[in-house]
Amino acid sequence: VALHVRLVGGSDSRHGRVEVSLDGSNWGTVCYHLFYNSSAKVVCRMLGHPTYVISNIITQLTLILF
């Protein structure tokens, strides 16, 4: 099973809320609870970006990729 990852709702392709999918059609938002730097590194690598900033705004996890 392949895990699909994307950023949505940001101002461009490097900003946004992290979503994951197992089938590529049903997407769910990643909760900020238990999402640590190690998780952010994996998501960034999956999206082809070397670095990141994690921003927890209220209950929404947002990644900013560089």
Side-chain angles (χ1 to χ4, degrees):
V1 175
L3 179 67
H4 304 274
V5 178
R6 68 182 182 185
L7 296 179
V8 296
S11 58
D12 60 35
S13 64
R14 297 182 308 121
H15 298 82
R17 183 177 67 251
V18 179
E19 290 188 346
V20 295
S21 172
L22 293 176
D23 60 11
S25 61
N26 296 303
W27 293 88
T29 301
V30 173
C31 179
Y32 71 93
H33 291 290
L34 302 177
F35 191 90
Y36 301 112
N37 284 336
S38 57
S39 304
K41 287 179 185 178
V42 171
V43 168
C44 290
R45 276 182 277 180
M46 292 177 75
L47 295 172
H49 296 276
T51 59
Y52 61 93
V53 173
I54 299 175
S55 173
N56 291 325
I57 301 172
I58 306 175
T59 59
Q60 180 175 309
L61 171 74
T62 301
L63 282 184
I64 302 168
L65 307 176
F66 299 97

